[in-house]
Amino acid sequence: MQQEDSCERSRDLISRVKDSSFRLTCGHCSRELIGQVEDLIVDAHGLLCLNSTVGEGDESSNNNCTDTAVWFLKEGLWPDWITQQVDESGWTKGRLSCFACKRRVGAFDFVHGGQCGCPEKQLRPPVQLTKAKVDLKRR
């Protein structure tokens, strides 16, 4: 029941952001962390979440593996500040901090990874931003 509720909330958010341009900012200092997130935020299976095609028969609109606590980031499209922090850790495991105020905004784990909660047990993307620590804002 709780998973269904979280999926429904995620679908509602996706329908609200459809055909819009959004950015992520630090929840503490409001500095822009990521300028355009539509092609970067994915669900636990790596499917785009904020893409304008979601809800039009897109596979991710029916996905039950949307974690409501974090934004997963598609590998290879990270901004420089994330790549730098991942490089400094030796591509292992660590925290992501805002480049401006140094507050924690997320994490990454290339060592253990994590599995989604569905029967497929797919590995989630290794880089994530905590929704409670960042703000999704309309451009």
Side-chain angles (χ1 to χ4, degrees):
M1 180 69 173
Q2 184 179 6
Q3 179 144 358
E4 289 177 22
D5 290 343
S6 68
C7 290
E8 189 62 35
R9 284 192 301 270
S10 295
R11 281 191 214 107
D12 289 345
L13 174 63
I14 289 167
S15 66
R16 286 196 310 266
V17 300
K18 189 175 170 182
D19 298 326
S20 298
S21 180
F22 287 82
R23 62 195 173 104
L24 285 176
T25 62
C26 175
H28 180 73
C29 71
S30 297
R31 291 287 299 262
E32 183 174 280
L33 299 174
I34 301 175
Q36 187 171 354
V37 297
E38 289 77 16
D39 294 327
L40 183 61
I41 294 179
V42 294
D43 65 11
H45 288 184
L47 301 171
L48 290 173
C49 286
L50 299 179
N51 190 309
S52 61
T53 62
V54 171
E56 298 173 5
D58 190 290
E59 185 178 343
S60 64
S61 64
N62 297 318
N63 188 353
N64 290 328
C65 296
T66 304
D67 186 332
T68 59
V70 298
W71 297 112
F72 293 106
L73 301 183
K74 187 174 183 177
E75 203 163 338
L77 298 177
W78 310 318
D80 292 340
W81 68 272
I82 291 178
T83 303
Q84 180 182 6
Q85 290 181 38
V86 169
D87 282 343
E88 288 172 0
S89 79
W91 287 73
T92 55
K93 182 177 177 176
R95 296 177 174 190
L96 289 174
S97 301
C98 172
F99 60 86
C101 69
K102 306 301 181 210
R103 296 278 181 128
R104 181 179 182 181
V105 293
F108 55 91
D109 186 352
F110 293 91
V111 178
H112 300 107
Q115 293 180 336
C116 67
C118 79
E120 295 176 35
K121 299 290 184 196
Q122 290 189 356
L123 284 179
R124 297 181 300 207
V127 176
Q128 61 192 31
L129 295 176
T130 306
K131 289 182 182 180
K133 305 284 184 172
V134 297
D135 296 320
L136 181 66
K137 294 185 178 180
R138 192 177 302 272
R139 280 211 156 283

